[in-house]
Amino acid sequence: LTKKQLQFMEDIMSKTLEFTYEGTPYTLEYTRKSVEIMERQGFDATKIESKPMTCLPALFRGAFMAHHNKVKPEKIDEIYSKMTNKTELIGKLSEMYSEPILTLVEEPDDDEGNIEWGASF
């Protein structure tokens, strides 16, 4: 496989969390766009430990944006209240949240068309 094909496979195999609630399947995922929306709404991942009452529910709600953006916050809170093993859940959500952010600083794979830059200071 070429580097582009491998990258495409990695992109479509991004980290997701799946479950079914009341007969409805859910796939939770963060994308660059959903992380951007969360940040614009005031979410700050560095505040999870100091402000868990606001940040943890916001982290969970944000994971619905990519595939289930029409689900009402009350329903998401209801789902969260029924989730088991919340400590591991939050750990997985945090790992998933950081993935789109890391893609912003990755170096391009191929040399063709890449932009070299320099600074004068």
Side-chain angles (χ1 to χ4, degrees):
L1 295 174
T2 68
K3 287 182 183 180
K4 285 185 179 184
Q5 289 170 324
L6 288 171
Q7 183 62 49
F8 176 75
M9 289 176 65
E10 285 179 26
D11 289 344
I12 63 170
M13 294 175 50
S14 64
K15 294 179 174 138
T16 61
L17 193 148
E18 297 176 352
F19 62 91
T20 300
Y21 180 69
E22 294 182 340
T24 302
Y26 292 91
T27 300
L28 304 188
E29 180 179 17
Y30 298 99
T31 62
R32 284 186 183 188
K33 188 65 176 170
S34 63
V35 169
E36 179 184 340
I37 291 168
M38 290 172 68
E39 289 176 352
R40 287 178 193 237
Q41 292 174 345
F43 182 76
D44 181 353
T46 64
K47 304 281 187 200
I48 287 176
E49 287 187 29
S50 64
K51 295 185 177 190
M53 292 300 289
T54 55
C55 290
L56 294 180
L59 181 67
F60 189 67
R61 284 186 206 119
F64 282 76
M65 287 183 195
H67 301 289
H68 309 284
N69 62 350
K70 302 286 189 224
V71 178
K72 295 187 181 318
E74 298 80 20
K75 182 68 154 187
I76 295 172
D77 292 345
E78 177 184 318
I79 293 169
Y80 181 75
S81 74
K82 303 288 185 180
M83 299 298 278
T84 58
N85 200 359
K86 285 188 177 73
T87 301
E88 186 175 348
L89 172 66
I90 295 303
K92 294 293 183 188
L93 290 172
S94 297
E95 185 179 333
M96 290 166 53
Y97 179 85
S98 66
E99 187 173 275
I101 296 167
L102 293 175
T103 65
L104 287 174
V105 295
E106 287 179 345
E107 293 293 327
D109 285 334
D110 57 16
D111 291 333
E112 189 175 324
N114 290 345
I115 300 171
E116 295 291 327
W117 63 275
S120 62
F121 58 93

